[in-house]
């Protein structure tokens, strides 16, 4: 698959005469940070173990969540380093596996700007294209969002190491987490190495602690005849083929449209629901109270909110659906569950559905993600020890939900909690800042509307923990602090006057007491 260059212009290229220009915007951002005294000076004591540097925080994943967290920590004077397996500029899904034309989120949302106006997408956009084009813009083009995040990383000077593949996460009892990585920088031999950090954060995005979910019958499809919507695949390879798309959500519309726009002969969307959902129920809970307080709700309410959203499902965007339906060779099959697949002797796939068989040449699974530790060998050391919601919580209605039950039961700082106390010392120093955190922490670990709130709350929690871990050092530093604010020349010592018991002339006589 050919990827667009990070330097390639995005969807909107015309520049208006009222555009400020990125250099001026960047100067404004620097001034804002200076006025706010940001970033704070580093204050966490340097530490080495066996001669090796110990990072304050190591972040796995350089997408939107990892960048927002690193910037939040930097503002608090905590040093963070990001490790990402992708090439520079291709962190996250935006320029690789995402296929929507525009983001779903309203363009006005401030995303990862952390309360800084000059760091918003709007400021970035208007600086280049002007107010008139901003007002004309409906939704944010996907590749422009990717360009904005590239600028975000660059303008803040965040420490991101690319082509770094995580192999293992090992909490230790000596107050550090050891990450085993492999440097796969092109042009050099792969190099394994380790990193030590006081805390490690898994900012691993939508697939979080697992990966694509597939129905049981997927094993009946020859591997070369299917992809998942989250995989990288070239729509051109589907030209002239009959494509079956399994699902009816956003990714299904994006995948179907990609196939159609690249010349697929026919696309059939097989949707088990009798109707597509019409209302995004999650938007009904989109308020500052949820972003700030969901994590503190009683467990029963957390479960009820997330289960209702899951059951209701999120409708595909209006524009994404029209992008498919405008093709005459696109076919929506509602109330059509798939029961199995067979490959005929001529190589054609026979897909058995509730409405009968369907012939297809290729299948695209748009079936979402699940927490599935088995898909993530780099987390194998953690998996047996992480407490899940299913380990300790039973819903009041008694209705099981395997997806929610498998969610990690996180503490207030997004930290993993042990299934058996003490079985894996240091587990609490590993933090889950990805989609798998949604049941414990709400949407602050991945969704554009709440990403700043989530990143800043996690950063504050990490800073508090780092202070507590070195509290004696900080107390000793306070005691040893000796920078004088006065040098003794600021005043002249006066002679103390003698005390005279005589009453001065004209003074009132003392009032006799009864």
């Amino acid at each position: 698959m050919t990827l667009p260059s990070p330097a390639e212009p995005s969807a909107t290229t015309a520049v208006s005469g009222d555009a400020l220009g990125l250099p001026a915007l960047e100067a404004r951002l620097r001034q804002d940070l200076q006025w706010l005294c940001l970033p704070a000076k580093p204050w966490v004591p340097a530490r080495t173990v066996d001669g090796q540097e110990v990072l304050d925080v190591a972040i796995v994943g350089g997408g939107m969540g990892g960048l927002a967290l690193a910037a939040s920590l930097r503002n608090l004077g905590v040093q963070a380093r990001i490790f990402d397996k992708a090439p520079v500029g291709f962190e996250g899904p935006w320029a690789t596996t995402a296929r929507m034309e525009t983001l779903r989120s309203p363009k006005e949302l401030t995303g990862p700007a952390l309360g800084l106006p000059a760091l918003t997408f709007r400021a970035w956009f208007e600086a280049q294209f002007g107010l008139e084009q901003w007002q004309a813009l409906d939704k944010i083009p996907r590749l422009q969002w990717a360009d904005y995040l590239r600028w975000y990383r660059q303008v803040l000077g965040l420490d991101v190491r690319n082509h770094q593949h995580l192999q293992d996460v090992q909490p230790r009892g000596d107050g550090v987490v050891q990450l085993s990585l492999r440097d796969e920088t092109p042009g050099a031999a792969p190099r394994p190495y380790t990193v030590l950090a006081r805390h490690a954060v898994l900012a691993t995005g939508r697939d979080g602690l697992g990966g694509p979910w597939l129905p049981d019958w997927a094993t009946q499809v020859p591997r070369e005849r299917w992809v998942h919507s989250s995989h990288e695949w070239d729509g051109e390879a589907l030209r002239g083929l009959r494509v079956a798309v399994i699902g009816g959500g956003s990714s299904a519309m994006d995948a179907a449209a990609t196939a159609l726009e690249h010349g697929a002969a026919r696309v059939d969307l097989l949707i088990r629901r009798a109707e597509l959902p019409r209302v995004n129920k999650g938007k009904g809970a989109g308020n500052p109270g949820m972003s700030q307080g969901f994590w503190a709700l009683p467990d029963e309410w957390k479960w009820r909110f997330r289960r209702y959203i899951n059951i209701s499902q999120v409708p595909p965007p209006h524009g994404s659906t029209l992008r498919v339906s405008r093709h005459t060779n696109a076919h929506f099959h509602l109330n059509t569950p798939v029961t199995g697949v067979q490959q005929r002797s001529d190589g054609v796939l026979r897909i058995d559905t509730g409405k009968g068989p369907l012939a297809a040449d290729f299948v695209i699974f748009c079936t979402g993600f699940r927490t599935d530790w088995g898909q993530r060998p780099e987390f194998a050391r953690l998996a047996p020890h992480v407490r899940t919601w299913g380990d300790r919580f039973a819903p009041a209605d008694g209705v099981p939900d395997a997806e929610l039950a498998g969610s990690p039961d996180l503490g207030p700082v997004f930290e993993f909690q042990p299934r058996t106390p003490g079985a894996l010392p240091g587990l609490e120093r590993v933090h889950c800042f990805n989609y798998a955190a949604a049941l414990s922490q709400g949407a602050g670990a991945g969704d554009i509307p709440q990403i700043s709130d989530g990143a800043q709350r996690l950063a504050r929690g990490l800073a508090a923990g780092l202070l507590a871990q070195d509290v004696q050092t900080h107390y000793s530093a306070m005691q040893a602090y000796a920078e004088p604010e006065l040098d003794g020349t600021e005043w002249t010592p006066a002679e103390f006057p003698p005390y005279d018991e005589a009453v001065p002339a004209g003074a009132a006589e003392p009032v006799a007491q009864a």
Side-chain angles (χ1 to χ4, degrees):
M1 178 179 181
T2 302
L3 300 178
S5 164
E8 193 171 292
S10 48
T12 304
T13 56
V15 179
S16 171
D18 64 343
L20 179 69
L22 281 182
L25 176 64
E26 292 166 5
R28 162 67 189 275
L29 177 60
R30 287 192 294 271
Q31 182 66 79
D32 287 346
L33 291 170
Q34 185 178 33
W35 278 335
L36 292 169
C37 298
L38 295 175
K41 294 180 180 179
W43 54 270
V44 181
R47 183 180 175 189
T48 60
V49 172
D50 297 329
Q52 184 174 352
E53 173 195 20
V54 178
L55 303 177
D56 295 350
V57 180
I59 301 172
V60 179
M64 179 179 67
L67 294 177
L69 176 59
S72 299
L73 288 166
R74 182 170 175 265
N75 284 345
L76 295 178
V78 177
Q79 303 302 299
R81 183 174 299 165
I82 298 174
F83 301 88
D84 196 287
K85 64 184 178 182
V88 176
F90 293 95
E91 306 84 359
W94 309 107
T96 54
T97 60
R99 297 175 180 87
M100 72 286 282
E101 292 180 317
T102 66
L103 305 191
R104 172 196 295 270
S105 303
K107 66 180 182 180
E108 294 84 4
L109 294 179
T110 57
L114 308 177
L116 296 163
L119 197 56
T120 60
F121 175 86
R122 177 174 181 173
W124 176 87
F125 184 96
E126 285 192 25
Q128 299 171 90
F129 311 116
L131 177 61
E132 184 177 344
Q133 286 209 35
W134 169 258
Q135 293 171 335
L137 185 69
D138 177 31
K139 297 287 179 63
I140 298 173
R142 168 177 57 88
L143 291 179
Q144 275 199 331
W145 185 254
D147 286 342
Y148 160 69
L149 291 177
R150 290 162 180 155
W151 172 80
Y152 183 104
R153 164 185 172 171
Q154 175 266 323
V155 75
L156 293 178
L158 301 177
D159 185 356
V160 184
R161 311 295 172 94
N162 290 89
H163 302 287
Q164 309 303 305
H165 293 249
L166 181 66
Q167 306 297 300
D168 182 37
V169 180
Q170 181 181 356
R172 301 187 348 186
D174 58 353
V176 301
V177 179
Q178 178 177 304
L179 304 181
S180 297
L181 298 114
R182 188 174 66 250
D183 184 343
E184 296 188 5
T185 301
R191 178 180 64 88
Y193 66 103
T194 60
V195 167
L196 301 181
R198 294 168 180 262
H199 292 268
V201 178
L202 307 181
T204 45
R206 183 62 181 82
D207 52 356
L209 304 177
W213 180 83
L214 297 170
D216 292 339
W217 57 264
T219 57
Q220 301 168 15
V221 185
R223 182 62 192 88
E224 68 278 6
R225 307 290 290 278
W226 68 269
V227 293
H228 190 271
S229 59
S230 65
H231 295 158
E232 291 186 29
W233 45 271
D234 188 352
E236 188 62 31
L238 305 179
R239 182 174 297 277
L241 301 184
R242 293 165 293 182
V243 179
V245 172
I246 312 302
S250 299
S251 64
M253 299 305 160
D254 298 335
T258 300
L260 291 161
E261 290 161 2
H262 284 82
R266 176 186 176 104
V267 172
D268 292 277
L269 291 93
L270 304 178
I271 304 165
R272 68 175 184 267
R273 282 177 169 256
E275 289 189 5
L276 290 177
R278 306 290 180 90
V279 178
N280 183 355
K281 293 291 188 177
K283 291 177 68 174
N287 60 67
M290 290 292 285
S291 59
Q292 301 298 326
F294 180 92
W295 70 275
L297 287 175
D299 291 341
E300 184 63 38
W301 277 112
K302 290 182 181 180
W303 185 278
R304 289 177 67 182
F305 271 109
R306 294 305 306 178
R307 178 159 172 76
Y308 184 74
I309 292 171
N310 287 357
I311 291 174
S312 303
Q313 294 196 330
V314 177
H318 176 73
S320 298
T321 308
L322 291 177
R323 183 183 171 199
V324 177
S325 63
R326 67 173 175 242
H327 293 269
T328 57
N329 55 336
H331 306 274
F332 291 74
H333 303 285
L334 295 163
N335 198 24
T336 308
V338 177
T339 57
V341 176
Q342 303 175 44
Q343 185 172 15
R344 300 185 333 206
S345 59
D346 60 358
V348 174
L349 299 176
R350 170 185 163 137
I351 301 178
D352 294 314
T353 79
K355 292 184 176 178
L358 176 78
D361 303 306
F362 200 82
V363 177
I364 304 177
F365 290 100
C366 303
T367 46
F369 300 85
R370 292 288 189 277
T371 294
D372 179 3
W373 297 93
Q375 295 191 47
R376 306 300 287 266
E378 66 270 37
F379 302 146
R381 192 186 299 271
L382 306 177
H385 301 285
V386 170
R387 190 172 78 193
T388 67
W389 274 71
D391 290 330
R392 67 161 188 84
F393 178 82
D397 60 10
V399 178
D401 187 312
E403 181 179 356
L404 293 181
S407 298
D409 181 24
L410 304 177
V413 193
F414 293 80
E415 73 272 24
F416 289 125
Q417 299 186 94
R419 179 172 283 137
T420 303
L424 185 61
L427 179 63
E428 71 283 354
R429 291 176 179 265
V430 184
H431 306 258
C432 179
F433 192 59
N434 55 53
Y435 187 78
L439 179 55
S440 293
Q441 296 287 342
D447 285 358
I448 290 173
Q450 296 186 25
I451 191 64
S452 282
D453 293 324
Q456 290 176 310
R457 184 159 57 82
L458 174 53
R460 289 192 293 267
L462 288 168
L466 289 165
L467 174 69
Q469 292 155 26
D470 288 310
V471 64
Q472 180 60 58
T473 299
H474 291 292
Y475 184 75
S476 298
M478 181 184 68
Q479 290 179 306
Y481 182 74
E483 181 179 337
E485 296 192 22
L486 299 175
D487 61 14
T489 64
E490 294 84 1
W491 72 94
T492 301
E495 293 185 8
F496 200 76
Y499 179 67
D500 186 352
E501 293 187 1
V503 177
E509 292 292 330
V511 178
Q513 298 296 316

